Amino acid sequence: MKYLHYILLSFLLFASCSKEADTGHDIPEGMVEVRINMPTFYNGTADTKAESTTLAPYDHLVMDIPVGSTIWLSYAKKLGEGSYETPVIKPYVVRSSRSFTGLYPCGIEEYTDEKGVEWMKAVPDQEASPLYLEPGATYKFKSIYPALDVRKSDLNVNLRNGIWACTNDPRYTQTASQDVTLGTSTNRVTYIDLKPMINQTARLHFEIGKGENVHSIEMMHTGIEIAGVQDKGTLFPLDWTQEDYIKVLQMEPIDDGEHWFKLQKFEVQGDKIIGDAYILPLDVRRTYIFILINMAVNGIPTQYVATLNGIILENAHSYNFDMKAGVNGNLTVVNWQNTSLTIVPNK
């Protein structure tokens, strides 16, 4: 049985403007316009490996999301201690001009897939109205990057092998979502900062280079095939807690050798072929991940096999394979190391 991995999101159409936006538009009576400062995410080295409930304090590893990226912003009004209204979300896009790079509200488009399921997606090139909320009220803000398509019936986002997403993560102090009390200003505009996001998948990173007497290497159409990665159905509730994450990211091993995840997208950098495979977190201490590499060395098609065992693949970490193709057609692992995840923007 094939399962999906979900992030549960509630949805409502609202929007915000950047710092350079004109304040000449009408603001509803008794409301303030809320503008979101640039969202950030962890994009670093091994130093960002999680220790208990905190991340290593390397502020230089927190980066702005790239121009052209989209997010869903979630917000919920606080009613009392630990009590909130039903959360809603809305899409934003990062745009750049000569004088400013910031977050702009964008539109939404609905569509129906081949199974008759209705979806909503962010439309970056479509403008939307600003976000208006109550001054002095407290809201819990969260974000997810990129803005993956939302299923209309239950407002879920599919997160499965091959797809990555960054969110606010309650397991770590630096990435947990936060309450913000909106202030008032003379022009009735308030700005808020969001906590940094962190990736919710693990990454397998492949760099394949030329060995001695190898003149050419290229990936074949089938690319890299991976078996033994978990495909466990689960839910990310929008008001997730640390306990929710413990249930969701329990990294159970599986013995499903029938399930294959294909990585077909690669890029060439110098004399190396580079590719990334994003997978759900997994404990492979009691089972194996099998990796088939389909490539041509000196024009001769060959299939190479590698196995991965004895490690826990954690979210927000990258597991790197540095390989060289030898003249006899064998693929030799030169170096493999566990570092933290370097996030690669959507391409």
Side-chain angles (χ1 to χ4, degrees):
M1 183 177 182
K2 196 168 185 178
Y3 296 96
L4 297 178
H5 191 74
Y6 297 107
I7 294 178
L8 180 63
L9 298 170
S10 298
F11 175 83
L12 185 64
L13 278 174
F14 285 102
S16 168
C17 297
S18 72
K19 287 185 177 180
E20 69 171 6
D22 185 5
T23 58
H25 54 264
D26 294 332
I27 298 178
E29 187 66 29
M31 307 292 279
V32 293
E33 180 183 336
V34 178
R35 301 181 184 177
I36 313 301
N37 292 326
M38 183 67 73
T40 57
F41 66 97
Y42 273 89
N43 180 23
T45 65
D47 294 329
T48 61
K49 181 175 174 62
E51 298 292 344
S52 184
T53 59
T54 61
L55 299 172
Y58 293 91
D59 292 338
H60 66 284
L61 300 178
V62 179
M63 304 178 63
D64 291 343
I65 64 175
V67 172
S69 300
T70 56
I71 72 165
W72 290 110
L73 175 73
S74 162
Y75 60 93
K77 183 181 177 182
K78 189 172 185 177
L79 300 176
E81 188 62 32
S83 175
Y84 299 86
E85 289 184 346
T86 301
V88 295
I89 64 168
K90 55 191 174 64
Y92 287 85
V93 61
V94 179
R95 293 176 183 161
S96 181
S97 66
R98 291 183 179 180
S99 59
F100 182 77
T101 298
L103 200 63
Y104 292 77
C106 64
I108 293 171
E109 178 181 314
E110 297 184 7
Y111 68 92
T112 303
D113 66 18
E114 65 277 3
K115 296 181 179 180
V117 179
E118 294 181 317
W119 295 82
M120 297 179 294
K121 67 178 181 180
V123 183
D125 57 356
Q126 186 179 98
E127 295 184 359
S129 59
L131 169 63
Y132 304 112
L133 297 175
E134 296 180 27
T138 299
Y139 292 83
K140 181 179 287 292
F141 291 94
K142 305 172 185 174
S143 53
I144 176 174
Y145 152 65
L148 304 173
D149 291 5
V150 176
R151 192 164 61 189
K152 188 175 180 180
S153 61
D154 54 13
L155 304 176
N156 284 341
V157 170
N158 290 345
L159 183 60
R160 54 185 180 268
N161 292 318
I163 300 176
W164 61 267
C166 298
T167 66
N168 295 117
D169 191 328
R171 289 170 296 177
Y172 316 123
T173 303
Q174 297 97 319
T175 62
S177 59
Q178 79 275 29
D179 289 353
V180 177
T181 300
L182 303 181
T184 58
S185 60
T186 55
N187 60 0
R188 295 198 291 168
V189 174
T190 187
Y191 297 91
I192 66 169
D193 292 308
L194 302 175
K195 284 286 192 72
M197 295 172 280
I198 193 166
N199 206 297
Q200 297 303 292
T201 56
R203 184 183 76 162
L204 301 181
H205 177 75
F206 300 90
E207 293 193 11
I208 307 172
K210 298 177 183 178
E212 187 177 0
N213 298 320
V214 173
H215 309 296
S216 66
I217 56 175
E218 60 180 319
M219 297 303 300
M220 299 174 64
H221 176 68
T222 47
I224 291 179
E225 300 173 276
I226 304 171
V229 291
Q230 76 163 323
D231 197 12
K232 182 178 174 59
T234 179
L235 290 174
F236 264 134
L238 182 58
D239 56 346
W240 54 71
T241 64
Q242 190 160 330
E243 288 70 27
D244 293 321
Y245 269 71
I246 291 173
K247 293 177 182 177
V248 169
L249 299 180
Q250 53 190 315
M251 297 183 291
E252 291 185 354
I254 63 170
D255 299 314
D256 182 10
E258 298 288 325
H259 179 75
W260 289 92
F261 162 62
K262 292 187 177 182
L263 172 64
Q264 295 180 328
K265 190 170 184 179
F266 300 89
E267 61 181 69
V268 178
Q269 295 182 8
D271 289 334
K272 286 187 175 182
I273 296 175
I274 297 177
D276 295 316
Y278 292 94
I279 65 174
L280 302 179
L282 176 65
D283 184 343
V284 287
R285 293 175 297 178
R286 292 180 292 163
T287 185
Y288 289 88
I289 288 180
F290 297 93
I291 303 169
L292 299 182
I293 302 174
N294 303 285
M295 61 184 299
V297 178
N298 292 340
I300 302 174
T302 312
Q303 185 179 76
Y304 308 93
V305 180
T307 59
L308 178 62
N309 176 255
I311 195 169
I312 296 177
L313 302 181
E314 300 180 67
N315 78 298
H317 288 75
S318 180
Y319 302 84
N320 304 324
F321 293 83
D322 187 2
M323 305 175 179
K324 285 188 178 179
V327 67
N328 63 355
N330 291 328
L331 194 64
T332 303
V333 177
V334 176
N335 182 49
W336 178 85
Q337 61 180 359
N338 174 11
T339 67
S340 70
L341 179 66
T342 299
I343 295 171
V344 180
N346 258 349
K347 299 179 181 179

